[in-house]
Amino acid sequence: MISFNEAIDSINLLATDWGVESVPLEDAAGRVISEPVEADREYPPFNRAAMDGYAVRSGDILEKGIREFRVVGEIFAGQPAAIVVQSGEAVKIMTGAPVPDTADAVIKREDAVETPGGVAFHVDEFVRHQCIAKKGGDIAHGGVIINNSLQIGTGEFSVLASLGKSHVNVFRRPRVALISTGDEILPVGETPASYQIRDANRYSIAGMLDRFRIRPMFTAIVRDEAEVLRRTIESALDNDLLILSGGVSAGDADLVPGILAACGVREQFHRVKIKPGKPLWVGSHPRGARVFALPGNPYSVQAACRLFIDPFLRACFHLPAQAPLLLPMRQARKKQTQFDEFFPARIVNTATGAHAEPLAYHSSGDITASLGTDGMVRHPAGAGDLRAEEIVDLYLWNSIR
Protein backbone atom coordinates (compact mmCIF):
# COMPACT_ATOMS: atom_id res chain seq x y z
CA MET A 1 0.00 0.00 0.00
CA ILE A 2 1.39 3.40 -1.00
CA SER A 3 0.72 6.96 0.16
CA PHE A 4 -1.47 9.47 -1.65
CA ASN A 5 1.53 11.47 -2.86
CA GLU A 6 3.31 8.32 -4.05
CA ALA A 7 0.19 7.34 -5.99
CA ILE A 8 0.10 10.71 -7.76
CA ASP A 9 3.80 10.40 -8.69
CA SER A 10 3.23 6.87 -9.96
CA ILE A 11 0.27 7.91 -12.10
CA ASN A 12 2.28 10.74 -13.63
CA LEU A 13 4.74 8.13 -14.89
CA LEU A 14 1.92 6.61 -16.94
CA ALA A 15 0.97 9.90 -18.60
CA THR A 16 1.14 9.94 -22.39
CA ASP A 17 -0.48 11.84 -25.21
CA TRP A 18 -2.52 10.36 -28.00
CA GLY A 19 -1.42 12.58 -30.85
CA VAL A 20 -2.87 15.71 -32.44
CA GLU A 21 -5.80 16.33 -34.75
CA SER A 22 -7.41 19.30 -36.48
CA VAL A 23 -11.07 19.97 -35.65
CA PRO A 24 -13.58 22.59 -36.84
CA LEU A 25 -13.75 25.55 -34.49
CA GLU A 26 -17.42 24.90 -33.71
CA ASP A 27 -16.44 21.44 -32.38
CA ALA A 28 -13.50 22.63 -30.29
CA ALA A 29 -15.21 23.52 -26.98
CA GLY A 30 -13.37 21.92 -24.08
CA ARG A 31 -10.57 20.59 -26.29
CA VAL A 32 -6.93 21.35 -25.49
CA ILE A 33 -4.92 23.42 -27.98
CA SER A 34 -1.77 21.56 -29.02
CA GLU A 35 0.35 24.41 -30.42
CA PRO A 36 0.85 28.16 -29.89
CA VAL A 37 -1.55 30.41 -31.78
CA GLU A 38 -0.06 33.57 -33.32
CA ALA A 39 -1.68 36.79 -34.46
CA ASP A 40 -2.19 36.88 -38.23
CA ARG A 41 -1.95 40.69 -38.20
CA GLU A 42 -1.79 43.56 -35.75
CA TYR A 43 -4.71 43.94 -33.35
CA PRO A 44 -6.41 46.32 -33.60
CA PRO A 45 -5.51 46.25 -37.32
CA PHE A 46 -6.11 50.02 -37.55
CA ASN A 47 -6.44 53.02 -35.25
CA ARG A 48 -9.94 52.35 -33.96
CA ALA A 49 -12.39 54.83 -32.48
CA ALA A 50 -13.16 53.76 -28.92
CA MET A 51 -16.15 56.13 -28.59
CA ASP A 52 -18.81 57.75 -30.73
CA GLY A 53 -17.61 61.29 -31.40
CA TYR A 54 -15.45 63.41 -33.68
CA ALA A 55 -11.97 62.74 -35.01
CA VAL A 56 -9.70 65.81 -35.02
CA ARG A 57 -6.08 66.86 -35.21
CA SER A 58 -4.94 67.26 -31.59
CA GLY A 59 -2.64 70.14 -32.48
CA ASP A 60 -5.68 72.27 -33.37
CA ILE A 61 -6.78 72.17 -29.73
CA LEU A 62 -3.49 71.82 -27.86
CA GLU A 63 -1.47 74.30 -29.90
CA LYS A 64 -3.92 76.50 -31.81
CA GLY A 65 -6.75 76.62 -29.25
CA ILE A 66 -9.43 75.95 -31.86
CA ARG A 67 -12.80 74.97 -30.35
CA GLU A 68 -15.16 75.17 -33.33
CA PHE A 69 -14.63 72.86 -36.31
CA ARG A 70 -16.10 72.27 -39.71
CA VAL A 71 -17.48 68.73 -40.11
CA VAL A 72 -16.22 67.25 -43.39
CA GLY A 73 -17.77 63.80 -43.30
CA GLU A 74 -18.62 60.78 -41.20
CA ILE A 75 -17.19 57.27 -40.85
CA PHE A 76 -19.05 54.19 -39.62
CA ALA A 77 -17.58 50.87 -38.48
CA GLY A 78 -16.84 48.75 -41.52
CA GLN A 79 -16.01 51.74 -43.74
CA PRO A 80 -12.50 52.77 -44.82
CA ALA A 81 -11.00 55.96 -43.38
CA ALA A 82 -10.66 57.66 -46.74
CA ILE A 83 -11.25 61.22 -45.52
CA VAL A 84 -8.28 63.60 -45.16
CA VAL A 85 -8.68 65.81 -42.07
CA GLN A 86 -7.22 69.29 -42.43
CA SER A 87 -6.62 71.86 -39.68
CA GLY A 88 -9.90 73.16 -38.31
CA GLU A 89 -11.84 70.16 -39.60
CA ALA A 90 -13.52 67.25 -37.80
CA VAL A 91 -14.98 63.95 -38.95
CA LYS A 92 -18.00 62.46 -37.23
CA ILE A 93 -17.02 58.91 -36.27
CA MET A 94 -18.70 55.88 -34.70
CA THR A 95 -17.32 53.38 -32.19
CA GLY A 96 -15.23 50.75 -33.96
CA ALA A 97 -14.63 52.82 -37.09
CA PRO A 98 -11.11 53.45 -38.40
CA VAL A 99 -9.66 56.86 -37.54
CA PRO A 100 -8.20 58.75 -40.53
CA ASP A 101 -4.40 58.86 -40.63
CA THR A 102 -4.53 62.66 -40.54
CA ALA A 103 -6.44 62.68 -37.20
CA ASP A 104 -4.95 61.65 -33.87
CA ALA A 105 -7.71 62.10 -31.29
CA VAL A 106 -11.43 61.49 -30.86
CA ILE A 107 -13.61 63.81 -28.79
CA LYS A 108 -16.61 61.94 -27.45
CA ARG A 109 -20.05 63.00 -28.57
CA GLU A 110 -21.07 64.10 -25.07
CA ASP A 111 -18.46 66.89 -25.22
CA ALA A 112 -19.67 68.16 -28.61
CA VAL A 113 -22.34 70.70 -29.52
CA GLU A 114 -23.52 70.90 -33.11
CA THR A 115 -23.43 74.41 -34.58
CA PRO A 116 -24.75 75.82 -37.86
CA GLY A 117 -21.25 75.66 -39.26
CA GLY A 118 -20.17 72.34 -37.80
CA VAL A 119 -19.38 71.39 -34.23
CA ALA A 120 -17.97 73.01 -31.09
CA PHE A 121 -16.21 71.22 -28.26
CA HIS A 122 -16.31 71.94 -24.56
CA VAL A 123 -13.41 69.97 -23.09
CA ASP A 124 -11.53 70.60 -19.86
CA GLU A 125 -9.05 67.78 -20.39
CA PHE A 126 -7.66 66.76 -23.72
CA VAL A 127 -4.70 64.57 -24.71
CA ARG A 128 -3.29 63.33 -27.98
CA HIS A 129 -4.58 59.84 -29.01
CA GLN A 130 -7.51 60.02 -26.57
CA CYS A 131 -10.43 57.67 -27.26
CA ILE A 132 -8.37 55.78 -29.85
CA ALA A 133 -7.37 52.11 -29.62
CA LYS A 134 -4.04 52.32 -31.41
CA LYS A 135 -3.09 49.94 -34.21
CA GLY A 136 -1.18 46.98 -32.76
CA GLY A 137 -1.94 48.14 -29.23
CA ASP A 138 -3.37 44.78 -28.19
CA ILE A 139 -0.86 42.52 -29.91
CA ALA A 140 1.76 42.73 -32.67
CA HIS A 141 1.68 40.74 -35.89
CA GLY A 142 3.11 37.29 -35.16
CA GLY A 143 2.74 37.66 -31.41
CA VAL A 144 1.67 34.57 -29.46
CA ILE A 145 -1.91 35.09 -28.29
CA ILE A 146 -2.72 31.61 -26.99
CA ASN A 147 -0.11 29.23 -25.66
CA ASN A 148 -0.44 25.53 -26.35
CA SER A 149 -2.00 23.25 -23.73
CA LEU A 150 -4.91 25.54 -22.98
CA GLN A 151 -8.46 24.26 -22.77
CA ILE A 152 -10.79 26.10 -25.13
CA GLY A 153 -13.50 28.12 -23.41
CA THR A 154 -15.51 31.24 -24.20
CA GLY A 155 -12.54 33.61 -24.34
CA GLU A 156 -10.47 31.26 -26.47
CA PHE A 157 -13.39 30.77 -28.88
CA SER A 158 -13.65 34.53 -29.38
CA VAL A 159 -9.93 34.96 -30.01
CA LEU A 160 -9.69 31.99 -32.38
CA ALA A 161 -12.63 33.28 -34.39
CA SER A 162 -11.07 36.76 -34.53
CA LEU A 163 -7.90 35.20 -35.92
CA GLY A 164 -9.82 33.37 -38.64
CA LYS A 165 -9.08 29.93 -37.22
CA SER A 166 -11.86 27.91 -38.81
CA HIS A 167 -9.95 24.81 -37.70
CA VAL A 168 -7.73 24.37 -34.66
CA ASN A 169 -5.10 21.78 -33.76
CA VAL A 170 -5.90 20.00 -30.52
CA PHE A 171 -4.66 16.98 -28.61
CA ARG A 172 -6.53 13.86 -29.62
CA ARG A 173 -8.85 12.43 -27.00
CA PRO A 174 -8.28 8.89 -25.76
CA ARG A 175 -10.55 6.04 -26.69
CA VAL A 176 -12.12 5.06 -23.38
CA ALA A 177 -13.90 1.92 -22.19
CA LEU A 178 -15.96 1.81 -19.00
CA ILE A 179 -16.80 -1.47 -17.25
CA SER A 180 -18.99 -1.69 -14.16
CA THR A 181 -18.68 -5.01 -12.33
CA GLY A 182 -20.89 -6.82 -9.85
CA ASP A 183 -23.89 -9.14 -9.68
CA GLU A 184 -25.84 -6.37 -7.98
CA ILE A 185 -25.46 -3.78 -10.77
CA LEU A 186 -28.33 -2.97 -13.14
CA PRO A 187 -28.68 -0.45 -15.98
CA VAL A 188 -30.17 2.88 -14.93
CA GLY A 189 -33.45 2.30 -16.74
CA GLU A 190 -34.29 -0.95 -14.95
CA THR A 191 -36.12 -1.44 -11.65
CA PRO A 192 -33.80 -3.05 -9.08
CA ALA A 193 -34.75 -5.70 -6.57
CA SER A 194 -34.12 -4.94 -2.90
CA TYR A 195 -30.59 -6.42 -3.15
CA GLN A 196 -29.63 -4.63 -6.39
CA ILE A 197 -28.47 -1.12 -7.29
CA ARG A 198 -28.38 0.95 -10.46
CA ASP A 199 -25.12 1.69 -12.28
CA ALA A 200 -24.40 5.19 -10.93
CA ASN A 201 -20.63 4.84 -11.29
CA ARG A 202 -20.72 4.83 -15.07
CA TYR A 203 -22.32 8.27 -15.01
CA SER A 204 -19.97 9.68 -12.38
CA ILE A 205 -16.99 8.64 -14.49
CA ALA A 206 -18.59 9.82 -17.73
CA GLY A 207 -19.33 13.20 -16.14
CA MET A 208 -15.68 13.62 -15.21
CA LEU A 209 -14.58 12.62 -18.72
CA ASP A 210 -16.99 15.11 -20.26
CA ARG A 211 -14.98 18.00 -18.80
CA PHE A 212 -12.44 17.11 -21.49
CA ARG A 213 -15.19 16.34 -24.06
CA ILE A 214 -14.27 12.65 -23.89
CA ARG A 215 -17.06 10.21 -24.75
CA PRO A 216 -16.65 6.52 -23.81
CA MET A 217 -16.37 4.28 -26.86
CA PHE A 218 -17.51 1.19 -24.97
CA THR A 219 -19.54 0.62 -21.80
CA ALA A 220 -20.59 -2.60 -20.14
CA ILE A 221 -21.99 -4.08 -16.95
CA VAL A 222 -20.39 -7.43 -16.19
CA ARG A 223 -21.45 -9.91 -13.52
CA ASP A 224 -18.93 -11.49 -11.14
CA GLU A 225 -18.21 -14.34 -13.54
CA ALA A 226 -14.48 -14.76 -14.16
CA GLU A 227 -14.56 -15.91 -17.78
CA VAL A 228 -17.09 -13.31 -18.93
CA LEU A 229 -15.15 -10.59 -17.13
CA ARG A 230 -11.86 -11.79 -18.65
CA ARG A 231 -13.26 -11.71 -22.21
CA THR A 232 -14.76 -8.25 -21.67
CA ILE A 233 -11.54 -6.83 -20.24
CA GLU A 234 -9.43 -8.39 -22.97
CA SER A 235 -11.52 -6.79 -25.71
CA ALA A 236 -11.58 -3.42 -23.90
CA LEU A 237 -7.76 -3.29 -23.76
CA ASP A 238 -7.72 -2.16 -27.39
CA ASN A 239 -8.74 1.26 -26.09
CA ASP A 240 -6.35 3.90 -24.78
CA LEU A 241 -7.93 4.03 -21.34
CA LEU A 242 -9.91 1.38 -19.46
CA ILE A 243 -11.75 2.35 -16.29
CA LEU A 244 -13.44 -0.29 -14.17
CA SER A 245 -15.50 0.10 -11.02
CA GLY A 246 -16.00 -2.61 -8.42
CA GLY A 247 -14.25 -5.90 -7.77
CA VAL A 248 -10.88 -4.59 -6.54
CA SER A 249 -11.07 -5.20 -2.78
CA ALA A 250 -10.24 -8.42 -0.94
CA GLY A 251 -13.56 -10.29 -1.08
CA ASP A 252 -14.25 -13.59 -2.80
CA ALA A 253 -16.02 -11.78 -5.65
CA ASP A 254 -13.25 -9.22 -6.16
CA LEU A 255 -11.91 -10.77 -9.36
CA VAL A 256 -10.58 -7.72 -11.18
CA PRO A 257 -6.88 -7.61 -10.06
CA GLY A 258 -6.27 -11.27 -10.89
CA ILE A 259 -8.02 -11.06 -14.26
CA LEU A 260 -6.12 -7.89 -15.19
CA ALA A 261 -2.86 -9.70 -14.44
CA ALA A 262 -4.00 -12.69 -16.51
CA CYS A 263 -4.71 -10.32 -19.41
CA GLY A 264 -1.16 -9.01 -19.30
CA VAL A 265 -1.84 -5.71 -17.55
CA ARG A 266 1.20 -4.68 -15.47
CA GLU A 267 0.32 -3.45 -12.01
CA GLN A 268 1.59 0.02 -11.17
CA PHE A 269 0.15 -0.09 -7.67
CA HIS A 270 -2.78 -1.56 -5.75
CA ARG A 271 -4.22 0.14 -2.67
CA VAL A 272 -3.59 3.68 -1.50
CA LYS A 273 -3.56 5.00 2.06
CA ILE A 274 -6.66 7.13 1.57
CA LYS A 275 -10.26 7.12 2.70
CA PRO A 276 -12.38 6.70 0.66
CA GLY A 277 -10.79 4.88 -2.27
CA LYS A 278 -8.18 2.64 -0.64
CA PRO A 279 -8.59 -0.38 -3.01
CA LEU A 280 -7.62 1.63 -6.15
CA TRP A 281 -5.69 -0.44 -8.74
CA VAL A 282 -3.66 1.19 -11.53
CA GLY A 283 -1.65 -0.38 -14.33
CA SER A 284 -0.77 -0.45 -18.03
CA HIS A 285 -0.93 -2.94 -20.90
CA PRO A 286 1.79 -3.55 -23.51
CA ARG A 287 -0.63 -2.47 -26.26
CA GLY A 288 -0.71 0.98 -24.64
CA ALA A 289 -3.91 0.95 -22.59
CA ARG A 290 -3.81 2.62 -19.19
CA VAL A 291 -6.05 0.91 -16.65
CA PHE A 292 -7.75 2.35 -13.58
CA ALA A 293 -9.75 -0.10 -11.48
CA LEU A 294 -11.79 1.83 -8.93
CA PRO A 295 -13.70 0.67 -5.86
CA GLY A 296 -17.41 0.18 -6.30
CA ASN A 297 -18.90 2.62 -3.81
CA PRO A 298 -20.22 5.85 -5.38
CA TYR A 299 -18.30 8.36 -3.26
CA SER A 300 -15.10 6.31 -3.65
CA VAL A 301 -15.51 6.46 -7.42
CA GLN A 302 -16.08 10.22 -7.37
CA ALA A 303 -13.03 10.73 -5.15
CA ALA A 304 -10.83 8.54 -7.36
CA CYS A 305 -11.95 10.39 -10.48
CA ARG A 306 -11.06 13.78 -8.99
CA LEU A 307 -7.87 12.78 -7.21
CA PHE A 308 -6.32 10.44 -9.78
CA ILE A 309 -7.99 10.23 -13.20
CA ASP A 310 -8.54 13.96 -13.66
CA PRO A 311 -4.84 14.72 -12.86
CA PHE A 312 -3.78 11.86 -15.15
CA LEU A 313 -5.76 13.30 -18.07
CA ARG A 314 -4.45 16.79 -17.39
CA ALA A 315 -0.90 15.44 -17.54
CA CYS A 316 -1.68 13.61 -20.81
CA PHE A 317 -3.01 16.84 -22.32
CA HIS A 318 0.03 18.78 -21.01
CA LEU A 319 -2.23 20.92 -18.84
CA PRO A 320 -0.85 22.23 -15.54
CA ALA A 321 -1.79 20.34 -12.41
CA GLN A 322 -4.94 21.63 -10.73
CA ALA A 323 -3.76 22.77 -7.32
CA PRO A 324 -6.20 22.55 -4.40
CA LEU A 325 -7.79 25.71 -3.08
CA LEU A 326 -6.45 26.89 0.28
CA LEU A 327 -9.26 27.83 2.67
CA PRO A 328 -9.79 28.00 6.42
CA MET A 329 -12.08 25.44 8.02
CA ARG A 330 -15.40 26.80 9.21
CA GLN A 331 -15.53 24.31 12.09
CA ALA A 332 -13.42 21.64 13.73
CA ARG A 333 -13.27 18.02 12.54
CA LYS A 334 -11.99 14.92 14.31
CA LYS A 335 -9.45 12.62 12.66
CA GLN A 336 -10.84 9.16 12.03
CA THR A 337 -7.93 7.12 10.59
CA GLN A 338 -4.19 7.34 10.00
CA PHE A 339 -4.86 7.63 6.26
CA ASP A 340 -5.34 10.75 4.15
CA GLU A 341 -9.06 11.37 4.52
CA PHE A 342 -11.05 13.23 1.89
CA PHE A 343 -14.37 14.47 3.17
CA PRO A 344 -17.05 16.40 1.24
CA ALA A 345 -17.22 20.15 1.80
CA ARG A 346 -18.77 23.26 0.40
CA ILE A 347 -17.52 26.84 0.22
CA VAL A 348 -19.44 29.27 2.42
CA ASN A 349 -19.01 33.00 2.85
CA THR A 350 -18.75 34.27 6.41
CA ALA A 351 -18.06 37.65 7.98
CA THR A 352 -14.32 36.86 7.80
CA GLY A 353 -14.33 35.52 4.23
CA ALA A 354 -14.70 32.22 2.39
CA HIS A 355 -14.45 29.01 4.43
CA ALA A 356 -14.58 25.27 3.78
CA GLU A 357 -17.55 23.77 5.58
CA PRO A 358 -17.41 19.99 6.13
CA LEU A 359 -20.58 18.07 5.39
CA ALA A 360 -21.58 14.88 7.12
CA TYR A 361 -21.95 11.65 5.16
CA HIS A 362 -22.54 8.09 6.28
CA SER A 363 -19.99 6.11 4.25
CA SER A 364 -18.44 5.84 0.79
CA GLY A 365 -21.62 4.03 -0.26
CA ASP A 366 -23.74 7.09 0.54
CA ILE A 367 -25.19 8.14 -2.82
CA THR A 368 -25.72 11.73 -1.60
CA ALA A 369 -22.23 12.20 -0.09
CA SER A 370 -21.13 14.76 -2.71
CA LEU A 371 -24.53 16.30 -3.36
CA GLY A 372 -24.44 20.09 -2.95
CA THR A 373 -20.70 20.13 -2.31
CA ASP A 374 -17.92 22.03 -4.07
CA GLY A 375 -15.18 19.50 -3.49
CA MET A 376 -13.28 17.46 -0.93
CA VAL A 377 -11.02 18.61 1.89
CA ARG A 378 -7.87 16.61 2.56
CA HIS A 379 -7.36 15.66 6.19
CA PRO A 380 -3.68 14.61 6.03
CA ALA A 381 -2.41 11.24 7.15
CA GLY A 382 -0.89 11.37 10.62
CA ALA A 383 -2.47 14.74 11.41
CA GLY A 384 -4.53 15.39 14.48
CA ASP A 385 -7.98 16.91 14.57
CA LEU A 386 -8.59 19.90 12.31
CA ARG A 387 -9.27 23.14 14.15
CA ALA A 388 -11.72 25.84 13.14
CA GLU A 389 -9.91 28.43 10.97
CA GLU A 390 -7.10 25.96 10.18
CA ILE A 391 -6.01 26.23 6.53
CA VAL A 392 -6.84 23.12 4.48
CA ASP A 393 -6.59 21.88 0.90
CA LEU A 394 -9.94 21.85 -0.91
CA TYR A 395 -9.95 19.74 -4.07
CA LEU A 396 -12.69 21.24 -6.23
CA TRP A 397 -14.84 18.89 -8.26
CA ASN A 398 -14.66 21.23 -11.24
CA SER A 399 -11.40 22.65 -12.49
CA ILE A 400 -10.62 26.36 -12.45
CA ARG A 401 -7.77 28.09 -14.25
Side-chain angles (χ1 to χ4, degrees):
M1 194 183 311
I2 64 176
S3 70
F4 171 66
N5 290 337
E6 289 171 334
I8 293 295
D9 291 341
S10 182
I11 286 171
N12 284 335
L13 295 176
L14 291 179
T16 185
D17 71 54
W18 298 283
V20 172
E21 62 182 345
S22 177
V23 299
L25 181 59
E26 56 266 28
D27 296 332
R31 302 296 298 273
V32 180
I33 296 173
S34 63
E35 62 185 13
V37 176
E38 298 178 352
D40 60 331
R41 57 178 179 167
E42 293 176 303
Y43 286 89
F46 51 83
N47 289 334
R48 185 182 66 218
M51 303 281 287
D52 292 335
Y54 294 85
V56 298
R57 297 166 68 134
S58 61
D60 283 349
I61 292 176
L62 294 175
E63 298 163 12
K64 299 180 181 180
I66 301 173
R67 289 295 185 268
E68 293 191 13
F69 291 77
R70 184 166 63 92
V71 177
V72 295
E74 59 184 6
I75 305 173
F76 291 84
Q79 294 180 344
I83 300 174
V84 176
V85 180
Q86 304 288 351
S87 179
E89 295 179 342
V91 173
K92 195 173 188 179
I93 195 164
M94 310 304 163
T95 302
V99 178
D101 292 340
T102 47
D104 60 0
V106 171
I107 300 175
K108 60 185 180 180
R109 197 164 188 172
E110 293 86 341
D111 293 332
V113 176
E114 293 185 0
T115 67
V119 64
F121 300 119
H122 302 287
V123 290
D124 295 324
E125 296 183 4
F126 180 86
V127 294
R128 184 173 282 109
H129 303 133
Q130 73 172 31
C131 297
I132 293 177
K134 296 189 67 176
K135 180 180 179 180
D138 293 341
I139 194 155
H141 181 203
V144 174
I145 298 182
I146 299 177
N147 287 310
N148 56 313
S149 299
L150 185 66
Q151 200 165 10
I152 297 173
T154 302
E156 291 74 27
F157 259 130
S158 176
V159 169
L160 291 166
S162 296
L163 298 177
K165 294 287 187 181
S166 61
H167 286 71
V168 58
N169 291 331
V170 296
F171 288 109
R172 190 176 72 79
R173 297 168 293 192
R175 294 166 295 145
V176 179
L178 304 183
I179 299 176
S180 303
T181 72
D183 291 343
E184 75 279 19
I185 306 299
L186 286 180
V188 168
E190 296 190 14
T191 301
S194 60
Y195 52 86
Q196 295 175 314
I197 58 175
R198 297 184 178 94
D199 185 13
N201 291 338
R202 167 184 166 182
Y203 293 89
S204 293
I205 299 167
M208 179 275 302
L209 295 172
D210 189 59
R211 296 173 201 156
F212 301 96
R213 297 301 188 266
I214 297 170
R215 304 287 191 275
M217 305 287 290
F218 171 82
T219 62
I221 297 173
V222 183
R223 295 175 61 84
D224 294 323
E225 298 176 7
E227 182 55 27
V228 177
L229 186 56
R230 185 197 65 78
R231 290 198 305 267
T232 307
I233 288 175
E234 182 64 44
S235 64
L237 288 170
D238 288 330
N239 292 278
D240 300 308
L241 179 60
L242 168 59
I243 305 174
L244 303 100
S245 62
V248 291
S249 295
D252 292 344
D254 291 317
L255 307 173
V256 169
I259 292 176
L260 287 172
C263 290
V265 182
R266 182 179 67 85
E267 178 184 315
Q268 192 82 355
F269 63 82
H270 185 196
R271 298 188 181 88
V272 187
K273 296 176 184 177
I274 61 173
K275 180 183 178 180
K278 182 181 75 170
L280 178 70
W281 193 103
V282 175
S284 60
H285 190 270
R287 294 203 296 268
R290 271 50 174 168
V291 180
F292 288 77
L294 316 182
N297 282 329
Y299 185 51
S300 294
V301 167
Q302 295 160 24
C305 283
R306 173 59 186 90
L307 298 175
F308 301 108
I309 302 180
D310 181 274
F312 167 76
L313 290 171
R314 293 183 68 86
C316 292
F317 289 130
H318 306 278
L319 290 168
Q322 180 65 44
L325 198 61
L326 299 178
L327 286 176
M329 285 283 286
R330 187 178 188 186
Q331 62 203 59
R333 181 184 187 269
K334 289 188 174 296
K335 194 76 171 74
Q336 300 175 4
T337 71
Q338 290 302 305
F339 291 170
D340 278 292
E341 297 167 10
F342 292 87
F343 59 87
R346 64 185 174 192
I347 300 173
V348 294
N349 289 317
T350 71
T352 57
H355 284 69
E357 180 180 60
L359 297 178
Y361 72 104
H362 297 101
S363 69
S364 59
D366 185 347
I367 65 169
T368 65
S370 63
L371 195 64
T373 67
D374 295 299
M376 299 175 293
V377 169
R378 181 184 183 183
H379 198 155
D385 298 342
L386 292 175
R387 304 178 308 276
E389 300 297 330
E390 183 171 348
I391 301 298
V392 293
D393 290 341
L394 174 63
Y395 291 76
L396 296 170
W397 295 120
N398 296 311
S399 297
I400 58 174
R401 295 189 190 276

